[in-house]
Structures are given as structure tokens and as C-alpha cells.
Amino acid sequence: GAGVSQSPRYKVAKRGQDVALRCDPISGHVSLFWYQQALGQGPEFLTYFQNEAQLDKSGLPSDRFFAERPEGSVSTLKIQRTQQEDSAVYLCASASRQGPSWEQYFGPGTRLTVT
Amino acid sequence: AQTVTQSQPEMSVQEAETVTLSCTYDTSENNYYLFWYKQPPSRQMILVIRQEAYKQQNATENRFSVNFQKAAKSFSLKISDSQLGDTAMYFCAFMKESGYALNFGKGTSLLVTP
């Protein structure tokens, strides 16, 4: 079946603009994660959903970041009033269950450049 | 908080040779999981190998194997018979037993040359 897909693959935003990044997880996957990967760094956890419930948003860098998964499938990461430090690749991952026993499948990422 | 350290930013190996990527971590947890992920230039991260800390036996997946030293908090990845398709960024990652978020190192860029 299809893997995790993300759109757009590339996004250029002017500082101060709002952006919305979409993640389509593998069908039926309960868990969904967002990670932020700055240039030359490993991915860093942003937030975690189990179905439609956002169980952990401790990694979101500021209140300008907001994520949702209203129907327990597609998720959107929204960044308001983008800043240059928001430039990064945003990775989405999904897993069929919760916990470490279940492999996280990653999407190709959205590369956000804020100018 | 857990920290994962990959001390080799870049490595190079010739095709068919063996290479070892290093990873150390710091945790006060007794039970946890360790992972190696591969991120090719297309950027889709894929799981290479996984190790449960409570298992003494080192995990192996075809040409990929790990050397897990729990007391030393070391988790290295050995790639045997390297292939050109192994060229990628390799990330070591940690997860608490009760957790769900992966905690990644900064990665090692591996180049396999003909």
C-alpha cells in the first residue's frame, strides 16, 4: 500500500506569513507524529496524536505552532507568522499502534524556507 | 532527558568493505529501545534495525548488525559488504520503554564509493 505522504514537498514563505503542512498517514495507522529537522541536525519531536487526540504537544517550539488531526487520519501542522528560525524540514510519521514496539513510518518531509 | 551522540559527522567506505558507525547515549532508564534509521538523499527515513535494551543478543538484519554495550551505553551499527545504495545519512535514536517519541542523534553521513 501507499506510504506516508506529505504536501507540499517544498514551501517558501515570507516572514510573517502563515503556512499549513499536510500529512496523509498510512491508512489505518492510529499513531501520528510530527518532527522538525533543522539543517545538519537529527529530527526533533514536535507532537503526537493517537487517533484524533493530541496526547503530547510538548515539542512545539512556540504558540505559533498548531497541529490537528480532526478525523483521526489526515493531519495538518500550521505555523502562524513564520520566522526565519522556522526554516527546516518537517517530517510526519505514522505507526499502526502506540509504543516503541511499533515501527514509525516516515514521510518524505516538507522543506520550509522562510525568507 | 536522554541525549544521543553520534561522534562521526561523515564517513566513507569502499564498496564491499565493512564500516562501523558509532552511537552513544545517556539515560537513567533501565529498559528502552534503540534504533538505527537511514535517510537517503530522497529524505524518506526508513528503519534499519532495532534493539531492545533488555535483550542481550545483538540484533541483526541481513548485512546490518549492532554492537550493543548496555553498561557503556554504546550502540554501534556495522554494515557488511557495503553497497552503493547504502549511501545515506544514518541516525541513531532512543525511545523510552514507556515512550513513543524518538530521540535522534545528529546523524552520520555515509558515502560508499566504487
Side-chain angles (χ1 to χ4, degrees), chain B residues 4 6 23-24 34-37 75 90-94 103-105:
Chain B
V4 178
Q6 295 179 249
C23 173
T24 59
L34 295 164
F35 306 81
W36 278 98
Y37 277 86
F75 182 62
Y90 287 82
F91 291 97
C92 178
F94 173 101
N103 187 3
F104 288 90

Side-chain angles (χ1 to χ4, degrees), chain B residues 62-81:
Chain B
N62 301 314
R63 298 183 294 108
F64 299 87
S65 62
V66 299
N67 182 4
F68 173 50
Q69 301 291 327
K70 190 174 184 181
K73 297 181 181 176
S74 171
F75 182 62
S76 60
L77 175 70
K78 185 171 82 171
I79 306 174
S80 304
D81 186 26

Side-chain angles (χ1 to χ4, degrees), chain B residues 55-113:
Chain B
K55 289 186 178 179
Q56 292 186 338
Q57 186 172 8
N58 288 324
T60 299
E61 288 287 343
N62 301 314
R63 298 183 294 108
F64 299 87
S65 62
V66 299
N67 182 4
F68 173 50
Q69 301 291 327
K70 190 174 184 181
K73 297 181 181 176
S74 171
F75 182 62
S76 60
L77 175 70
K78 185 171 82 171
I79 306 174
S80 304
D81 186 26
S82 296
Q83 301 176 0
L84 296 178
D86 295 335
T87 291
M89 283 291 291
Y90 287 82
F91 291 97
C92 178
F94 173 101
M95 184 187 291
K96 294 193 294 186
E97 182 184 35
S98 58
Y100 40 78
L102 289 162
N103 187 3
F104 288 90
K106 289 187 175 182
T108 295
S109 177
L110 177 66
L111 175 65
V112 181
T113 58

Side-chain angles (χ1 to χ4, degrees), chain A residues 4 9 33 35 37 40-45 48 55-56 89 91 99-104 106-108 111, chain B residues 33 35 37 39 42-47 50 89 91 95-107:
Chain A
V4 178
R9 292 293 312 277
F33 307 83
Y35 292 84
Q37 186 176 16
Q41 304 292 318
E44 291 191 357
F45 170 78
Y48 163 53
L55 298 186
D56 187 345
V89 175
L91 298 171
S101 300
W102 303 98
E103 180 179 346
Q104 292 186 23
F106 282 81
R111 180 182 296 277
Chain B
Y33 297 82
F35 306 81
Y37 277 86
Q39 190 177 41
S42 66
R43 306 203 75 84
Q44 196 115 17
M45 189 103 65
I46 56 173
L47 178 65
R50 168 177 43 217
M89 283 291 291
F91 291 97
M95 184 187 291
K96 294 193 294 186
E97 182 184 35
S98 58
Y100 40 78
L102 289 162
N103 187 3
F104 288 90
K106 289 187 175 182

Side-chain angles (χ1 to χ4, degrees), chain B residues 3-63:
Chain B
T3 57
V4 178
T5 302
Q6 295 179 249
S7 59
Q8 306 152 313
E10 296 180 348
M11 293 196 71
S12 179
V13 65
Q14 282 195 317
E15 208 174 359
E17 297 293 307
T18 295
V19 64
T20 299
L21 308 184
S22 301
C23 173
T24 59
Y25 57 94
D26 185 22
T27 184
S28 58
E29 304 281 326
N30 186 46
N31 293 321
Y32 46 87
Y33 297 82
L34 295 164
F35 306 81
W36 278 98
Y37 277 86
K38 171 184 178 181
Q39 190 177 41
S42 66
R43 306 203 75 84
Q44 196 115 17
M45 189 103 65
I46 56 173
L47 178 65
V48 174
I49 199 165
R50 168 177 43 217
Q51 174 80 41
E52 292 87 352
Y54 59 85
K55 289 186 178 179
Q56 292 186 338
Q57 186 172 8
N58 288 324
T60 299
E61 288 287 343
N62 301 314
R63 298 183 294 108

Side-chain angles (χ1 to χ4, degrees), chain A residues 9 11 19 22 25-26 32-33 51 69 72 83 88 92 105:
Chain A
R9 292 293 312 277
K11 176 70 178 177
V19 298
R22 177 186 170 106
I26 293 172
L32 186 143
F33 307 83
N51 295 308
R69 194 186 185 198
Q83 304 293 315
C92 175
Y105 293 84

